[in-house]
Amino acid sequence: MKAWRPWPRSLASQMAVLIALALFVAQAINFGLILNERSKARVLQAARPAAIRIADALDREVEGGRDLVADRGRVRRFPANPILPVVVKRDPELAAEVRRQLTEQGVTYRRVDTGQLNQSDQGTDRAGWKGARHYNRPAQMMIAVEQPDGRWVAVRAPWPQPGPRLLIALLTQTMILYGMILLPVIWIGRRMSRPLRDLASAARAFRPGEATAPVEERGPADVRAVIAAYNTLGTRVTAMLDEKDRMLGAIGHDLRTPLAALRVRIESVEDDDDRQRMADTVDEMARMLEDILSLARLGRSSEPPSEVDLAALVDAVAEDFRDLGHDVETRDADRLPWRVRPAMMRRAVRNLVENAIKYAGSAEVVVERRPDGACIAVLDRGPGIPEDRLAHVFEPFIRVETSRNRDTGGIGLGLALARAIVQEIGGTLTLTNRDGGGLAATITLPLPRN
């Protein structure tokens, strides 16, 4: 089961998410600016009329000699601060704006106090206003100004509360923007990523030496340039591999000829021991040459994959070693058909069995089916390999001196060649030390793709 990833992986999805986040941040900033402007406008709409009314009422009081207590207008006079018994919360910003407006009107004052009225007090006479109770009246703010003589004048101003309309309008606007911007972006992103996906599929399916059609060049100019470069690269790689095969063929032919001539000439050596040692040396050189050429040509094998019975293939390899007098055991296994290159797979199993015989004197080969594929294990009871060297023995020409001495023969290509053969068909080759001593070389083949 794949782990959930919070960040999308495709180009179109990443573009859509980034633009969606950018739009969200932009709309959030826009919403904050709008709220700030509306707050300033609300303060100004409440402060300016209130300051004008207070200034006019004070002027009328001075000119007409009429007490504001008896005035039926909106401005009232109080002996003390009328806000204290009815206030819900104060608004310093409104008070500052009222002070500025009063200063512009030329009104002299000691201080200004503001407070939002309780909903239950907005229509009663608790604050000095007589009249009917208005239960549905919108929120109001009381603005009180203390005069130099210690008396107070107060006025009410409407104080609209922010409703859901602004939020709904902003959400609607955001959804419209998302629809108008994200849909074209997703379409463009998918149009750009489709040729890239085709390019990735072609790169994964690329096999040196196999004739493949070039990837169609489509999409934006940059993407077409990448596809064209890939097609050119594939052509160059194939040409280089062809040249390498021709060179290896020439090397193999040129080296085999003198080796064969040398093999014939050593027959004239009279001493039997010397003749046998020389023949063994020539045979070892021939095997070394064959291993090097096989490793270099891997991936360009002329042998087509075919379905074989892995159990029968392993039995045939073990029987070849038994015919030579080696101790190789196999376990009875059910028929296990699998699609591989038969000769190359026999070569990989033979290399593993040969290593086990060289360093342990015997080998046991086990074939079994697993839920995730097939497994071929070659087991021995030899000296094993130090844990810190297990990953390095797969490298060409690498030998572990502490446990694999040179007297056993070989040049360190057996494991490298076996792993390369297994990896070519998508499998893995692992080495693990066994409990009680010995080594387990395990080939794991994945289930075939449908």
Side-chain angles (χ1 to χ4, degrees), residues 137-170:
R137 178 175 294 177
Q140 290 185 327
M141 184 71 74
M142 179 181 286
I143 302 172
V145 179
E146 184 182 11
Q147 293 184 276
D149 58 4
R151 296 183 301 170
W152 290 77
V153 291
V155 66
R156 291 183 178 184
W159 192 248
Q161 300 298 310
R165 286 187 176 183
L166 178 62
L167 181 60
I168 294 175
L170 189 67

Side-chain angles (χ1 to χ4, degrees), residues 247-260 281-297 347 397 411 413 417:
M247 180 185 66
L248 291 175
I251 292 175
H253 178 270
D254 292 344
L255 289 180
R256 286 191 184 99
T257 300
L259 286 176
T281 301
V282 172
D283 292 340
E284 183 179 0
M285 292 176 64
R287 288 195 301 270
M288 290 168 53
L289 176 62
E290 188 64 29
D291 286 344
I292 293 173
L293 293 178
S294 298
L295 185 61
R297 287 173 173 170
R347 183 74 174 274
F397 308 106
I411 59 171
L413 285 179
L417 182 58

Side-chain angles (χ1 to χ4, degrees), residues 198-220:
D198 295 342
L199 178 62
S201 299
R204 285 191 295 267
F206 178 75
R207 293 293 181 271
E210 295 183 3
T212 56
V215 182
E216 180 184 358
E217 299 179 15
R218 55 195 179 100

Side-chain angles (χ1 to χ4, degrees), residues 74-101:
R74 295 185 177 182
V75 181
R76 294 287 184 271
R77 185 182 294 285
F78 298 89
N81 189 348
I83 290 179
L84 296 178
V86 295
V87 69
V88 174
K89 60 180 179 179
R90 287 177 166 79
D91 193 310
E93 187 178 357
L94 176 60
E97 181 63 26
V98 171
R99 285 193 293 270
R100 191 180 70 83
Q101 294 290 338

Side-chain angles (χ1 to χ4, degrees), residues 3 24 33 41 66 68 73 137 151 156 188 274 286 312:
F24 177 79
L33 294 175
R66 186 177 182 184
L68 291 178
R137 178 175 294 177
R151 296 183 301 170
R156 291 183 178 184
I188 293 175
D274 289 342

Side-chain angles (χ1 to χ4, degrees), residues 193-268:
S193 62
R194 189 176 296 113
L196 292 178
R197 289 196 300 270
D198 295 342
L199 178 62
S201 299
R204 285 191 295 267
F206 178 75
R207 293 293 181 271
E210 295 183 3
T212 56
V215 182
E216 180 184 358
E217 299 179 15
R218 55 195 179 100
D222 295 341
V223 177
R224 291 200 302 270
V226 172
I227 297 175
Y230 170 79
N231 290 333
T232 303
L233 179 63
T235 302
R236 290 177 179 175
V237 169
T238 302
M240 291 174 61
L241 291 176
D242 291 339
E243 180 65 23
K244 184 199 71 170
D245 286 345
R246 287 192 293 269
M247 180 185 66
L248 291 175
I251 292 175
H253 178 270
D254 292 344
L255 289 180
R256 286 191 184 99
T257 300
L259 286 176
L262 184 61
R263 188 70 173 82
V264 172
R265 291 192 178 188
I266 64 176
E267 296 296 332
S268 61

